[in-house]
Amino acid sequence: MGNSLFANCCRHVTDLIFQTRSFNSPDERSPLLPKPPTSCTVCPEVPEDTQCAGPYPDIIPSEAVTGSLQKCTEYIQDLSEAKGEEGMVTVCDKSCLRPGTGAAGLLRQAEASRAVAVLPADLGDGPAGLVGHAQSLEACQSCVKLEDSGLAHRSCRREEHVAAADGGDAAPGAHPASQGHEHPSGVALMNGSGPHESLKGEKDARQNGHEEADPGEDGNDQEVIVIQDTGFTVKICAPGIEPFSLQVSPQEMVQEIHQVLMDREDTCHRTCFSLQLDGNVLDNFAELKTIEGLQEGSLLKVVEEPYTVREARIHVRHIRDLLKSLDPSDAFNGVDCNSLSFLSVFTEGDLGDSGKRKKKGTEMEQIDCTPPEHILPGSKERPLCALQPQNRDWKPLQCLKVLTMSGWNPPPGNRKMHGDLMYLYVITVEDRHVSITASTRGFYLNQSTAYNFNPKPANPSFLSHSLVELLNQISPTFKKNFAALQKKRVQRHPFERIATPFQVYSWTAPQAEHAMDCVRAEDAYTSRLGYEEHIPGQTRDWNEELQTTRELPRKNLPERLLRERAIFKVHSDFTAAATRGAMAVIDGNVMAINPSEETKMQMFIWNNIFFSLGFDVRDHYKDFGGDVAAYVAPTNDLNGVRTYNAVDVEGLYTLGTVVVDYRGYRVTAQSIIPGILEREQEQSVIYGSIDFGKTVVSHPKYLELLEKTSRPLKIQKHKVLNDKNEEVELCSSVECKGIIGNDGRHYILDLLRTFPPDLNFLPVEGEEMPEECKKMGFPKQHRHKLCCLRQELVDAFVEHRYLLFMKLAALQLMQQKANKQESSGVLENGASPENGTADSEKSESEDGKIDDNVTGLDQVKELAETIASDDGTVDPKSREVIRNACKAVGSISDTSFDIRFNPDIFSPGVRFPESSKEEVQDQKQLLKDAAAFLLSCQIPGLVKDCLDHTVLPMDGATLAEAMHQRGINMRYLGKVINFITKTPGRAQLDHIFKIGISELITRSAKHIFKTYLQGVELSGLSAAISHFLNCFLSSFPNPIAHLPADELVSKKKNKKRKNRNLGNADNTAWASMTPQELWKNICSEAKNYFDFSLECENADQAAEVYNLQKITLLREISLKTGVQILLKEYNFDNRHKPTFTEEDILNIFPVVKHVNPKASDAFHFFQSGQAKVQQGFLKEGCELINEALNLFNNVYGAMHVEICACLRLLARLNYIMGDYSEALSNQQKAVLMSERVLGIEHPNTIQEYMHLALYCFANSQLSTALNLLYRARYLMLLVFGEDHPEMALLDNNIGLVLHGVMEYDLSLRFLENALAISSKYHGSKSLKVALSHHLVARVYESKAEFRSALQHEKEGYTIYKNQLGEHHEKTKESSEYLKYLTQQAVALQRTMNEIYKNGSNANIMPLKFTAPSMASVLEQLNIINGILFIPLSQKDLENLKAEVQRRQQLQESIKSGGQLEPEDKAVEEKEAEPSMPSAEIPLTQSSA
């Protein structure tokens, strides 16, 4: 969808830079509070669990988490108190920092191929140069001119007089979005969308809990200058159309107005023009505020400029992009970061409040509610075609048959001198063949034909400055269709068009005809192959870009945003380039740098990226498992790179790393250290070891840098012996190598053992494992010796040990206290004023409200701090307490809690000196404890979370994510499944068991598929893949592979070519595979790798025994291997012919793993917002989350998973606070983004659809709500099947909506299914089941079947009575309803008797049958979706606030050992006031 799109959002700025609802007066602006420089990566106080805390406000995290989140809000807490004072910190508003402009800004370069140079060539000399010229900075961050595409980023804007199609999204009081219609004065960094307050200046931020920042570092870093400005309007006068006004901001560049014009419907066909003010040409890269005489109402003229070859190419490319703008083929083919979205199919266009929507709510009769057959409960068919419904807009309006470069290019010399630049060949829809000359003056028809060259102008020549104007004159169909196409293009939601930061591939696609496309053809053979064309004739120096962005300054918020955006942008470009390169390497299109060696050992350089294959070259991994180890090493290395990048130590550099799995091969792509290719590795490595610990060297600078990482990464500094028996000190594993590049930077590489080894999979002679491990059959021999623990596990283990440490010390202190029986107590000794800790004051002001245990923990904390500050004042007994506790938990220090791991323990070939013998013993014990902790705490913890439904995986990917968050590696999958089978509530874990088994089967199949593909030649690929899928899934007993014809030729000729194929197998060996053999291999793989015994010999048995769906297995295997199949209905159970033919395999995509750079500041705002919401301060929460949204947009551009979570939470808050239309608008964006970034059938997308349906219902768009719910149900059936706890919620939603539109029979089918599922997964006595009974009873009542209604309501009543007691209001409500139903039943019976007795002339009392009111349906919908509104009186509010306050203090005291000072408390009270709506305070909770 090319470049035209990437400026396309000017129509919808309201949607792009998200408008926020203003709660205060419009000009209060946020201080985006700068954080202290010390902690600019990740707030150390935020524990792991909150990092993965769900994005839903209704999932209340544990107490501890909430407490620590409180910490994160410190620097935002006193906003309201500080409001309006002088000396406020405001933030710079350089255009390079606005969401709209950045290189990673709104539209991530839509043509990934012509990537934007983040660092222009002249900045190569280092960061000084970079920060030096503001001009370059702007060029680098926002408006780089693109070679060969000429389109720079355009910050979005809406013209005043064009009301965009979905302008209705903005709430009436909403701020115009960031460069919106007007800029209120005092515009803050974001050009301020959002209700913000100002701040009392530095001192407050200090008091506000930033003691950890070293005051020395602060100075003026934190102060940022504010530029006050307001937007203004200019008039634009373009040839051939009426002048129009355009809203601009002084920070914008002239270039950005160009972009808007190239996107507007009436000017989009112009690319080669200049803007002139009073006859003076404006410089493209000038900011508007620097232009003399440009002011409100100025007239800018669009003047057509002469073309050059470059401009002509840009023009043709742009026209082609406009013609293709609605064509989804790029998304199906997975190119240029396009991806699919189907939301608009189900909402019939945009969800704005357009006229036709309004009527729908009232005319309920017209709604057709019947779902397709396959969506009904109990249906067994799972059609695939419905996954990608055909969008009406995609039947493209054909404007031209062919537009291509002519074979007469380039013009001969004599024609060049007449101004000919190039020749085009066009066939119009009317079948007219014409030859067109692009000349310096424009485009005209010439007299050439396909076979005769005659460049003279035709008569008439229709000379036009733009190609579109020329084509309009020669083809009436073109004129009509092009106009219609542009109209449609600008009406689409921007989120359907913006490129995603990383490519998303679709595993199915419809059959598409391959159309002729000159630009695509040219790209394939020119720019793509060897170089990126942002600087003519030069490739991008990836390493320099990656490292220079890391060196950007990061002292305050604007600097950090700029830096994070640059890092993110370069990473996404690098990932795209590396992926393309890796595919080229495997497809054989890149020459090796060591061509004479065996194919497996070859290495490649392409586009300044180094590629190596995942094979064991030169027996490097001989002791670790050979090729198997060489295959996992790159992913371990990538995890190491991720971790070191996250710690972000200044001066320590890692390589850009991307791991690509493609066609059965694993390729590692890395940026190249300057100078490394000229030297031997032995000379370069000055730290670490190149032979796994035989020769080891160290370097003081590396030790100093790595020591900074040792605390966050929990790595212990240790000594090892080298081959000369000398002690060498290291602060990482021995494999980690340090190399100083020619650029003087300190690089570390080979980070594959950043984390400690996993002893459960590393049997070591003479080492005894803990009991828990032995019970579960560990240690177990794995295929390689590189198994290590995940970072999440290390963190969880350390946190677990810390709690243990606190408890032990507290117990000992209590005992001492009891022995002492003195009033003075340890505490006063411990924290006497002269030791300089301010804690002592707090301990004196302690009132006895907090129970003993808390005080004990407080004392331990203070004591630990005091001892750590190494003061003589602590009495020896207290020291003893801490020492004992430290020893007990395995801390490396005996005065404070500090657990670290030595990653070299149990490394084959590493020896330790005698002196550290004891230390090594302790480390071994620690590793054994960690291995046992995984089995005894983490796995049971995961299963318990699944039982409580706090974790609800729906497919393999979400299960893997849940395991990883708890630090459990996938190799434990078999153990997890075994644990589930032994759990008492086994039936309630059915869904997890099913997902686990299908994941186990598809992962085992993937392992086999990998080696299977390596033996396949390119020509046999589709035949081989379809054969494999037949053996894997089809019921056909003996599928036969179709060998490509040329391979049936005699084998003699093939001998010579053996070397080129990377596989060692015979090229046709794959054809002999049978289903029996494959399934036997799958079962043995499952046993060997996952230690789980599968009881099935073929696909049919697997489906039967484990109740799996074949379509689900097909989806899982396709996603894991990158296979794309044809969208059609597959018959898996046909025993007479195979399911797949080679025509069904459309493509094979790479599976890419890469680093995901994070937006740290935005993340803190987001977490603080979540914390506020969970404490009930909705308004403050909403403001913080709006702020986070702004910052996310600033760093990631408009599309990203984290923005999706942000929008979802915002929508939920809007909904709770009663702003339904805003909730709808935000949730619509969340759905679109989830479809585009995660995939159209990802479990998250399914949930987003459900939320959107609720908000649609609240906005009385009933048919849309139903369509969305049906879509969600279809996706869930495809991804998992019917038997899932989420399905109960979904069916309750569907049933309620159907009840609301009086489709009672349909409604019952869904509600009764939900009841059955809830009873299974929550137990028949749970409150969820009681609610389900009640919903069913209501429908029966509406149908006047009172007996059934009574029966269900009685069931519900019994559950309420048993669970909540007689006097609970739920029980009372239920009993009232029972009475009502009984009366109705009696009345009905009377009437019936009357009829029987008196026949037709009976006088019948009219019976009251009530259709449910929309309000009552909505109320029930809110309840089942976990949103409760509790009406509260003023008094209740006061009590509630006091309670929240008390809890917060308790949390604080547990967390930090101190209490809020009384004045803080007053502030909290004051802050809490405005956020409560006066009449009712909404609380969110999980649906009860």
Side-chain angles (χ1 to χ4, degrees), residues 220-234:
N220 307 329
D221 298 348
Q222 304 277 333
E223 291 183 30
V224 194
I225 308 90
V226 66
I227 298 163
Q228 298 217 342
D229 66 41
T230 45
F232 57 92
T233 310
V234 293

Side-chain angles (χ1 to χ4, degrees), residues 594 597-598 600-603 610 615-623 627 630 680-682 690 692:
N594 49 348
E597 302 211 24
E598 190 196 337
K600 277 186 175 183
M601 300 173 70
Q602 289 179 351
M603 292 165 230
F610 174 76
F615 293 111
D616 186 11
V617 181
R618 305 193 179 83
D619 289 341
H620 193 62
Y621 293 103
K622 193 173 63 185
D623 303 341
D627 275 353
E680 276 297 312
Q681 202 175 17
E682 287 77 27
I690 56 167
F692 289 101

Side-chain angles (χ1 to χ4, degrees), residues 352-376:
D353 13 17
S354 46
K356 66 172 202 289
R357 282 263 164 264
K358 281 281 176 275
K359 293 204 287 278
K360 288 211 172 154
T362 49
E363 305 173 8
M364 271 181 4
E365 297 71 48
Q366 297 173 3
I367 299 177
D368 176 25
C369 305
T370 335
E373 198 58 38
H374 60 262
I375 290 176
L376 289 172

